[in-house]
Amino acid sequence: MPIKNVVVNCTDVQRSVEYYTKFLELRLIGEATPQSALLDAVTATIELRAVAAGRDQSTWVGDDLQKGFRHIGFKVDRLDERANVLKAGGVEFKLDPLDAEGKVRICFFYDPDGTLLEMIQGDLQYAEVLDPDGVAAERALGVPGRPRFDHVAVTIEDRPTTEKYYRDNFGFSFIGTIEQPHDPRGFSIGYLKSGDTVLEVFTYNAEKSSRAPQLDVAGFAYAELAGDPPSDLTEATAPDGTTVYVDPDGFAFSARPTV
């Protein structure tokens, strides 16, 4: 599973641990400290790291025309029931539960520091299947007993370029697409999968904005991929000293060499 870990910065680690364990049933691995905590999300881990800068310091905006990171997605059962628990807990929603393209049910909401999260219920019915074996493997995962990490979504400039890069370096396969025919921006979604995790890529015909990753403010920091580190991308350094790579669309990730 190439997406091994997702690092989320937060201003209060204990508050975020309580949020993710209560509302998404993630399980704490080991002990949380004021600086960090590691959570089991079934197919990957979510790592919470303390930072001083809050949501108001982030340049991330909730407009999918901004390239780079968009949201973290979890596959769930009983989506509406879970959404009601979130609402009763005062969680801020971006999109209430609804039936979406691909015959799935989805909703979007924020964690305490403004990281956008998605819950998805059901198997996607792709507009075009490009890798039948990959789609079969996705569906074979079945209905999760508790929410499991499914994907990180990113907005990109060019799908073939992104596909080639993540296929050649990290073994992702382009398994299918979902089209959004009613979106005037020319919106299409592609799914790059390897193992049990997915990189969900948004493309638009409309003009997009760019954003440099911020590794030291609250919100999504970077994903950790299983694969050999690239040699042709911009590098940055996370507060803990981790080398982070930035792809041409501004998506930040570290790389754990395969053995």
Side-chain angles (χ1 to χ4, degrees), residues 106-123:
I106 65 174
C107 66
F108 288 91
F109 52 97
Y110 297 96
D111 83 353
D113 290 287
T115 303
L116 184 60
L117 308 176
E118 179 188 20
M119 292 194 296
I120 317 101
Q121 179 178 301
D123 290 327

Side-chain angles (χ1 to χ4, degrees), residues 224-246:
E224 182 181 346
L225 308 183
D228 296 326
S231 59
D232 59 345
L233 293 182
T234 301
E235 294 184 11
T237 302
D240 69 345
T242 299
T243 298
V244 176
Y245 304 93
V246 183

Side-chain angles (χ1 to χ4, degrees), residues 23-148:
F23 294 121
L24 287 165
E25 296 181 46
L26 305 194
R27 295 175 180 172
L28 182 64
I29 299 172
E31 295 185 4
T33 72
Q35 289 73 43
S36 66
L38 189 64
L39 302 172
D40 173 19
V42 184
T43 50
T45 53
I46 303 295
E47 186 173 354
L48 304 173
R49 292 188 182 172
V51 293
R55 183 173 180 175
D56 60 340
Q57 299 297 310
S58 175
T59 57
W60 183 90
V61 296
D63 179 354
D64 288 337
L65 291 178
Q66 184 185 65
K67 291 189 293 185
F69 169 78
R70 302 317 313 152
H71 66 260
I72 302 168
F74 298 86
K75 277 291 182 79
V76 303
D77 62 352
R78 301 179 286 111
L79 182 144
D80 288 86
E81 179 181 329
R82 294 182 182 279
N84 287 337
V85 172
L86 286 163
K87 286 177 177 274
V91 172
E92 178 186 356
F93 269 66
K94 177 179 173 64
L95 183 70
D96 287 341
L98 57 74
D99 294 327
E101 294 289 341
K103 298 184 179 179
V104 291
R105 193 158 177 81
I106 65 174
C107 66
F108 288 91
F109 52 97
Y110 297 96
D111 83 353
D113 290 287
T115 303
L116 184 60
L117 308 176
E118 179 188 20
M119 292 194 296
I120 317 101
Q121 179 178 301
D123 290 327
L124 275 168
Q125 305 301 307
Y126 298 96
E128 182 179 12
V129 172
L130 301 171
D131 178 356
D133 290 340
V135 172
E138 170 69 20
R139 293 174 180 168
L141 291 172
V143 178
R146 62 184 176 92
R148 62 173 171 81

